[in-house]
Amino acid sequence: MSKTVFFNSYKLKKGVSVSDFLLAVEKLSTEHISKQKGYISFDLLVDGDIWADSTIFETMDDAKRFAESSEPNEFAERFYSFINLNSCKTHFFSIERSY
């Protein structure tokens, strides 16, 4: 099985503090995402007002299990409080090749 990228793009709500958002992302990543089965790495990306995060997991099953987990936690709730949920797009990509 190939590694999988769980990729999300979104816009922040108008008027939110980017520095507060970055702190929420850091906490979510270090306190929750990095502790999930199959976790490899997490990257936060930005292009103008579009933000994205990319989490690499060992398998598609690990990525989907993470995405479908229904247990809310304080770190995810804080992260989502900054996001315009109507702008969210989610994708799962299998890594075909790495160079």
Side-chain angles (χ1 to χ4, degrees), residues 78-96:
R78 177 79 173 138
F79 170 77
Y80 287 124
S81 74
F82 291 93
I83 304 296
N84 175 343
L85 296 176
N86 293 326
S87 69
C88 291
K89 295 183 178 157
T90 298
H91 302 277
F92 293 92
F93 297 101
S94 294
I95 297 177
E96 185 70 24

Side-chain angles (χ1 to χ4, degrees), residues 21 23-33 35-36 71-82:
F21 170 68
L23 182 58
V25 172
E26 180 180 354
K27 290 283 189 184
L28 176 61
S29 175
T30 60
E31 300 297 326
H32 179 66
I33 298 173
K35 297 177 181 178
Q36 302 307 302
E71 294 182 36
N73 65 68
E74 65 182 286
F75 305 110
E77 288 175 3
R78 177 79 173 138
F79 170 77
Y80 287 124
S81 74
F82 291 93

Side-chain angles (χ1 to χ4, degrees), residues 11-76:
K11 292 184 178 183
L12 301 182
K13 292 178 181 174
K14 292 186 189 292
V16 300
S17 163
V18 171
S19 61
D20 288 346
F21 170 68
L22 293 174
L23 182 58
V25 172
E26 180 180 354
K27 290 283 189 184
L28 176 61
S29 175
T30 60
E31 300 297 326
H32 179 66
I33 298 173
S34 66
K35 297 177 181 178
Q36 302 307 302
K37 182 180 183 308
Y39 169 85
I40 296 174
S41 67
F42 177 89
D43 291 301
L44 181 66
L45 314 162
V46 65
D47 179 18
D49 66 345
I50 300 172
W51 291 81
D53 57 67
S54 171
T55 309
I56 300 177
F57 288 93
E58 290 177 7
T59 69
M60 181 68 75
D61 287 342
D62 292 337
K64 288 191 173 183
R65 188 177 305 109
F66 167 73
E68 294 168 358
S69 65
S70 59
E71 294 182 36
N73 65 68
E74 65 182 286
F75 305 110

